[in-house]
Amino acid sequence: EVQLQQSGPELRRPGSSVKLSCKASGYSITDYLMHWVKHRPEHGLEWIGWIDPEDGETKYAQKFQSKATLTADTSSNTAYMQLSSLTSEDTATYFCASLRTTSAYWGQGTLVTVSS
Amino acid sequence: DVVLTQTPSTLSATIGQSVSISCRSSQSLLDSAGNTYLYWYLQRPGQSPQLLIYLVSNLGSGVPNRFSGSGSGTDFTLKISGVEAEDLGVYYCMQATHARTFGGGTKLELK
């Protein structure tokens, strides 16, 4: 059974950074791209980008080019997303997701709260 | 970037009513190989999104057949034939022909 287990909620000060994790089980992360998606109820879902864990290639939505950095550790079957220079606009739930051609698997989401 | 415009933004329905959601793309989603990567997701409150429809009109695993998808090029539609209580939530279209983009969402609520 495919599962994506994300790390717990985070509280950060403005200007700081945070690194989220997404551990996959039931498959090898090198087999599929790993996507990250931002969710704020008033803004809906926003695609941040993907990483190909097999070779580290990444692609970002233009809006998140300087905000997010995607990495992966194949030895632990885990993907990571670092968010930098945090502002209140980064307060959201972040999902990792394996978005395949005919199926999709999502993590449970990690709530990041940015507050002074 | 491709922009997906969903209408309406909010949909009020009674149980058993049939409803439709529109998703229009700023660019054609037909790729050079003849594939159209248009998907529909449902996000219930407090949950992760769930895949309903893939490749325009194919039902996701375990999805009830009251859901159906249609369309081509830049215009797509999700139809629910007989809304049930468990269908309430926010519906998103997503394209995967040009990277990925989500539509703005359509909230389905009870009238």
Side-chain angles (χ1 to χ4, degrees), chain A residues 35 37 39 44-45 47 59 95 99-104 106-108, chain B residues 1 37 39 41 43 47-49 51 54-55 92 94 99-100 102-103:
Chain A
H35 298 259
V37 176
H39 177 245
L45 299 173
W47 179 73
K59 184 174 181 65
F95 292 98
L99 304 179
R100 307 174 185 182
T101 303
T102 61
S103 62
W106 293 71
Q108 83 276 21
Chain B
D1 290 357
Y37 295 93
Y39 298 77
Y41 287 89
Q43 187 176 28
Q47 295 187 17
S48 305
L51 178 65
Y54 63 91
L55 300 176
Y92 296 94
M94 184 199 81
R100 302 289 187 280
F102 288 95

Side-chain angles (χ1 to χ4, degrees), chain A residues 4-96:
Chain A
L4 299 175
Q5 183 65 40
Q6 297 188 237
S7 48
E10 302 276 5
L11 174 62
R12 288 289 185 272
R13 301 293 190 202
S16 67
S17 63
V18 67
K19 190 171 186 177
L20 312 182
S21 67
C22 171
K23 183 172 178 58
S25 59
Y27 82 103
S28 170
I29 61 170
T30 57
D31 288 343
Y32 297 95
L33 304 179
M34 185 68 79
H35 298 259
W36 290 85
V37 176
K38 179 179 183 180
H39 177 245
R40 292 178 290 176
E42 65 278 18
H43 294 276
L45 299 173
E46 293 182 271
W47 179 73
I48 296 171
W50 57 249
I51 182 168
D52 183 345
E54 185 166 35
D55 60 10
E57 181 184 0
T58 55
K59 184 174 181 65
Y60 299 92
Q62 189 169 6
K63 176 180 178 180
F64 294 98
Q65 285 274 7
S66 57
K67 171 62 65 177
T69 302
L70 305 184
T71 58
D73 177 2
T74 57
S75 66
S76 63
N77 221 35
T78 303
Y80 299 91
M81 178 174 69
Q82 179 163 324
L83 300 171
S84 62
S85 302
L86 293 169
T87 72
S88 58
E89 293 295 300
D90 299 316
T91 294
T93 297
Y94 293 88
F95 292 98
C96 61

Side-chain angles (χ1 to χ4, degrees), chain B residues 36-111:
Chain B
T36 302
Y37 295 93
L38 190 282
Y39 298 77
W40 290 96
Y41 287 89
L42 165 62
Q43 187 176 28
R44 297 185 178 96
Q47 295 187 17
S48 305
Q50 169 197 359
L51 178 65
L52 297 174
I53 301 287
Y54 63 91
L55 300 176
V56 181
S57 59
N58 297 277
L59 218 53
S61 176
V63 176
N65 60 12
R66 62 180 178 274
F67 291 94
S68 62
S70 63
S72 64
T74 60
D75 289 344
F76 303 91
T77 301
L78 174 71
K79 182 177 180 179
I80 310 173
S81 300
V83 169
E84 298 192 6
E86 66 181 18
D87 300 337
L88 304 184
V90 182
Y91 290 80
Y92 296 94
C93 55
M94 184 199 81
Q95 68 81 22
T97 300
H98 312 282
R100 302 289 187 280
T101 313
F102 288 95
T106 297
K107 184 177 183 180
L108 177 61
E109 56 187 26
L110 275 180
K111 188 181 294 183

